[in-house]
Amino acid sequence: MPGEIVFRFPDEGVGAAARLLDEAPETCRAAVEALPVSGLARHGIYSGSEVYLVLPELLTPPREHATTIVRPGDVGFLTVEKGSGYGIEESYSEICWFYDLDATPAMPEGPIAVNVFARLEDADAFFAVCRRMRLEGAKRIEVAPG
């Protein structure tokens, strides 16, 4: 398994590498096996400084290294079950990342734990694009093994 994954906003010409964490081996394995993926990254509504990508397939790694307390650069994984909260009509999995100090992974009902499985490093330009997404909206993203 590679030691990192790479996030890239192709229309912005900006990317960043995230180092996989030993604390979440099953999540790392599931995420890497699902790569490469691309789609629209969206800014979180309830979570503060969070951007996420809904994955094209449902993944089911166990809860590991799960927390609601994240810091800038943390990369999380979450599977949300159909009917588990307001407006959730289908189950889905997502990769999410946090780019500033005000982030807390949350849904309308409140904080929700994510498996922190990777860490973005040297990502200032990448985070600048994430900040702009609050006003500019969704952006195309590609995520691939490093």
Side-chain angles (χ1 to χ4, degrees), residues 26-27 30-31 34 50 52-64 66-67 76-85 88 90-96 105 107 111-117:
E26 295 301 316
T27 305
E50 175 201 17
Y52 67 93
L53 171 66
V54 174
L55 299 173
E57 65 181 279
L58 194 63
L59 306 177
T60 57
R63 287 176 54 96
E64 56 184 2
T67 186
F77 171 86
L78 174 65
T79 292
V80 178
E81 298 297 326
K82 175 182 177 177
S84 64
I88 301 171
E90 297 296 327
S91 297
Y92 65 90
S93 296
E94 70 178 45
I95 292 176
C96 51
M107 299 293 270
I112 187 166
V114 298
N115 289 1
V116 175
F117 75 98

